[in-house]
Structure formats: C-alpha cells, structure tokens
Amino acid sequence: MASLSMFGFVALWSPYFLAFLLLITCLYFMIVGPWRTRFTKEGPPTRKQKAYFVAGIVLLYICVGSPIDLLGHLIFSAHMIQMAILSFMVPQLFILGIPNWLFERVFQIRPLKAAVTFLTKPLIAIVLFNGLFSFYHVPFIFDLANSHALYHAVITTMIFIAAWMMWWPLLNKMPGWQSLSGLKKIGYIFADGVLLTPACALIIFANKPLYATYYDPQMWMKSLALCVPAGTLASLDLSGPQMFFSIPLLYDQQLGGVLMKIIQEIVYGTVLFFVFVDWYRKEREKEKLETAVSPYPSES
C-alpha cells in the first residue's frame, strides 16, 4: 500500500488552518481575559470552560487539519468518523466553553439573535440537522459536494452550524434561552437519535458502493483536489483509493455507517446520563424545599 506521506506536509497537517485556529484561540483568551472588563462586569470563565473551548479547538483541528481530513477523501469510514466528531462533539465543547456574557454580546446583533432564536426551537433544530446530514449523504449530492470546493464548503459549514443549533437547547445556560428542561430533554435526545437512523441504515444495508467519490478514479481525484495542493496532486501517479487501503469499498461503506451510529449512540447516551442526573438532582432539591416549607400535610 502507498504511504500518505506522498501528499506532502501541507495536505497532511494544514498549517494555514492551524494558524487560523491558533489565532481564534488567542483571541478567545484575550476576550475572556485582559479585555473582559470592556464587555462585562462578570468574572472570568472557569478553568473547565477554558478546557472545553481548547478541547473543541483541538478536535476541530484533528478533524479538519490533520491527516484524518485527507483520509476522509480516501475512505468513507474515515469521513464518517470525521463527521461524527464535528457534529456530536465539537459544537458541545464550544457551547460549554464560551461564557454566557460573550454569547449575550454576540446576540446584540439583532438579525443574528432572531435567526438563532428561530433555528434553536427544538423541533426545527433536530429536523434541520438530521435533514441536512441525510441530504448530504444522498449519493449524487455527496459526489457533487466532494467534487467542487465551494459546494463542499457551503454544505459542510451548514451542517456544522445546524449541529450547533441542535445542541443549543440541551446545553446552553443562558437565562431566557432554555426551551427544554427535565424530561423534555430526554425526549429530545431520543428523537434526535431516531431521526438519524434511516440515513445510517441505508448506508449500512446497501448492497453496493453508493458514492462514486470512492470508486470512480476521476471523482476521487476531484475529491482529493479539495485538500491536496494542485501542484502536489499533479506530480503524483495515482490510480484510485485501492492503492492505499485493501478493504473492499462496500465493507468500508458499511463500516462507516456502523461507526457513525455507534459514536452517535455513545455521545447521546453520555449526554442522556448527565441530563437524567441533573433532572433527578433538581427534583430531589425541589422535594426537599417543599418539605422544609411545609413538613406536615395541611389540615382541612
């Protein structure tokens, strides 16, 4: 099998994207640190919040800037791992890592606040994300997106934003923005998991490779052009993805669908656990408060 090193350092490690993320990280720490008093009287974010934000940046780079991004154009299972991390992990970390006062400052832009308010309505949020994700993985749309840089950037960015909107009702702590609580959050998670199942099932149980991006050499080269510099790609003698991996295309496709569903269930199960624990704790506190206020039943 050929080595990925033939694609060069830029294709493997995306130094320009790394520089961009480092700039965003420095800007974050300046805003929540030395510049904070210009925007709010609240204290700095906790260490946990800062850790969440940095973890989100690291995972974003791993998915989009590391060799995993290149692998996603070579084998479908790597693409699905990339999509799972970008959809189910990175948005959560950013929502948890950005302090409320910073969101409030951003939402002072009225059109943006109106758009987020609408898109984070629970029903709209889960339908939008799962619809876009399923739409993207319709074979002819997937192949079209992965053969044109603009289409690919627009569609994947839309899915990433939709993932933010989908996680917002579950995770945000801003007063006035919490549209779900208690058992409603649990129902929301279950509904979210169910809506993605048909797309994964079609991929897993297909009896032939669905995506020309991975079996047609010309489509495959167009897909590689999205992440490999043109000069480097022109200098390589490439015949197709089989020169890098021996796994049959159909098995790779089925593996991708299975991995997506497994990662989704693990993430949703973890979130469900914490949501249930938080709901149970609040119910216990409510019962204790009611007992303290009225320890004896009222007499008629």
Side-chain angles (χ1 to χ4, degrees), residues 171 184 264:
L171 301 175
K184 290 182 180 180
Q264 180 209 33

Side-chain angles (χ1 to χ4, degrees), residues 7 29 38 41-42 61 75 88 122 131 156 170-171 184 200 222 231 252:
F7 292 104
F29 278 100
R38 302 180 185 180
K41 295 180 180 179
E42 295 187 22
Y61 174 70
I75 58 174
F88 303 136
T156 53
L170 283 171
L171 301 175
K184 290 182 180 180
C200 291
K222 289 182 179 180
D252 173 53

